[in-house]
Amino acid sequence: MAVTILGIESSCDDTSAAVLRDEVLLSNVMASQEVHRRYGGVIPELASRAHQQNILPVVSEALKQAGVTLSDIDAVAFTRGPGLLGSLLVGTSFTKGLSVAADIPIIEVNHLQGHILSHFVQVPGRDNRCPEFPFLCLLVSGGHTQIVRVDDPLHFEILGHTIDDAVGEAFDKCAKLMGLGYPGGPVIDRLAKEGDPKRFRFAKPHIPDLDYSFSGIKTSLLYFLRDRLAEDPDFMEKNKADLCASFQQDLIDILLKKLVLAAKQTGIRQVAIAGGVSANSGLRNRIEEEGRRRGWTTFLPELRFTTDNAAMIAITGYYKFRAGQFAPIDIAPLSRAAEYGDR
Ligand code: KG4
Ligand code: ZN
């Protein structure tokens, strides 16, 4: 029998709700919070308040667009973590309220698992090619950078991870240094298209195995700009596009080096990317190019599934529903990945 899942995502600054019937997407509604832009980053207190305002209209709209009512929903899947605690509490508490009021079981979802499984959401009328198991997923977001081996929808192994900043943070901090606004990733992506990626070089990390580090390259950019600006106060303005293109290229090189190593070590040739930074056009092109050269089959998520969304939470909930993995009503959010046993 077909299963209908309502997914709810509230881990950071996007409130989202989606409805899935089996793997097929019926609706995916999103309210992004503009309020953080003027502060140059997400303010947790403001994020949880905005979730409180948005969550009911977003969920109602998702049900309406899907053409279903609460009585059609077999389970509500919600993001338990990782994320901002105040934001997670809004989605978790709302889910529990629905569960008690409408007598619907609930399913907890790990946000990172959701990003990876976004590849399995089937969109009517689209090419819904998805990875075969086992596959490698480069998970690149504002909070995490990992290479994950995925053996089936519910079994993952983290092969490598960042020991300091996430790559999304490196994009955002670089943009902040250059006064480009928040979030920085999309701005750098846009400016990089007009710049020369070979013009400047920044210090690359030397980290063993499949792990990453992005704090050194950020510091390298900081000192580079400080020295050049001392010589020419207009240096940044004159070289903005080349700086973005070069910095982005270096980040992509760092990401690809370890991904190529992981593919060699595991012999796996199904390679996917996921998370906010997987929207980056330079990274998308490069993964496809490497894939052609190395005989990988590559999977890039649709752009709307790269950043935080509830469709990815609903699809993970769907697989957990099929496996009978429900959550108790006294469940509490987990803000850190480590609390899940992820590194
Ligand atoms: O997955 P996500 O929406 O939230 C987290 O779970 O962290 O990722 C947000 C991150 C931010 O750092 C943002 O700058 C980055 O994704 N991002 C991009 C692009 N679009 C979003 N980074 C590089 N290029 C982009 N086009
Ligand atoms: Zn995310």
Side-chain angles (χ1 to χ4, degrees):
M1 211 182 73
V3 171
T4 308
I5 305 282
L6 168 66
I8 294 179
E9 156 64 29
S10 74
S11 66
C12 190
D13 59 340
D14 296 307
T15 321
S16 179
V19 178
L20 236 62
R21 180 150 298 143
D22 287 344
E23 283 123 316
V24 179
L25 186 68
L26 301 184
S27 66
N28 186 32
V29 175
M30 183 99 70
S32 297
Q33 303 176 4
E34 288 303 312
V35 62
H36 308 287
R37 268 181 207 280
R38 85 176 89 114
Y39 298 99
V42 176
I43 309 292
E45 171 83 19
L46 297 180
S48 35
R49 285 182 200 205
H51 282 305
Q52 287 276 11
Q53 289 170 335
N54 293 339
I55 197 154
L56 184 56
V58 163
V59 169
S60 303
E61 185 60 25
L63 293 172
K64 192 171 143 207
Q65 286 187 16
V68 300
T69 63
L70 271 184
S71 60
D72 299 309
I73 301 296
D74 293 301
V76 187
F78 68 100
T79 305
R80 185 184 185 192
L84 300 170
L85 192 62
S87 292
L88 293 166
L89 272 166
V90 178
T92 308
S93 305
F94 187 87
T95 302
K96 290 184 187 189
L98 271 187
S99 170
V100 172
D103 196 21
I104 308 173
I106 61 175
I107 297 172
E108 56 148 314
V109 172
N110 176 333
H111 180 84
L112 304 178
Q113 191 177 355
H115 271 302
I116 296 170
L117 295 181
S118 62
H119 283 281
F120 296 87
V121 174
Q122 306 283 309
V123 181
R126 296 275 169 86
D127 163 23
N128 288 300
R129 219 170 43 93
C130 38
E132 288 165 21
F133 300 104
F135 68 93
L136 292 179
C137 186
L138 176 66
L139 175 62
V140 279
S141 74
H144 300 87
T145 303
Q146 301 176 338
I147 298 177
V148 184
R149 177 194 161 108
V150 188
D151 286 310
D152 67 52
L154 302 179
H155 293 95
F156 297 75
E157 187 187 349
I158 299 169
L159 303 179
H161 71 134
T162 179
I163 60 166
D164 42 53
D165 291 351
V167 65
E169 251 175 302
F171 270 105
D172 294 339
K173 287 179 180 172
C174 158
K176 202 166 185 176
L177 279 177
M178 295 177 60
L180 299 176
Y182 176 87
V187 189
I188 293 184
D189 191 357
R190 184 166 45 75
L191 286 167
K193 288 183 185 145
E194 294 145 29
D196 174 4
K198 296 204 174 76
R199 175 90 187 282
F200 304 113
R201 276 284 161 271
F202 304 103
K204 294 267 178 55
H206 297 283
I207 304 293
D209 306 321
L210 298 176
D211 288 337
Y212 288 113
S213 165
F214 292 98
S215 70
I217 186 168
K218 174 198 67 193
T219 313
S220 162
L221 174 74
L222 176 72
Y223 290 143
F224 177 81
L225 288 177
R226 185 196 60 187
D227 295 347
R228 294 300 176 97
L229 286 168
E231 294 159 11
D232 174 6
D234 295 329
F235 176 80
M236 202 144 73
E237 204 46 48
K238 285 186 205 154
N239 297 287
K240 221 184 241 178
D242 289 347
L243 282 164
C244 287
S246 301
F247 189 72
Q248 176 173 299
Q249 176 79 15
D250 279 0
L251 293 180
I252 295 172
D253 284 347
I254 297 171
L255 289 172
L256 261 296
K257 189 174 162 196
K258 296 298 175 88
L259 186 59
V260 166
L261 188 60
K264 277 192 188 145
Q265 285 182 359
T266 58
I268 296 173
R269 287 166 165 225
Q270 299 269 313
V271 179
I273 53 172
V277 181
S278 70
N280 185 268
S281 57
L283 178 61
R284 293 171 82 90
N285 291 339
R286 182 71 181 281
I287 294 266
E288 289 200 310
E289 194 186 300
E290 289 290 340
R292 277 192 296 274
R293 191 139 55 91
R294 298 176 186 277
W296 298 346
T297 311
T298 53
F299 300 88
L300 311 177
E302 239 187 77
L303 283 181
R304 64 177 164 144
F305 296 144
T306 57
T307 40
D308 296 343
N309 65 85
M312 71 187 202
I313 303 305
I315 189 82
T316 309
Y318 166 74
Y319 292 120
K320 294 186 92 167
F321 184 99
R322 291 287 189 200
Q325 296 180 7
F326 298 98
I329 199 71
D330 61 352
I331 193 163
L334 299 175
S335 62
R336 295 183 314 119
E339 295 170 320
Y340 265 104
D342 296 342
R343 283 189 295 170

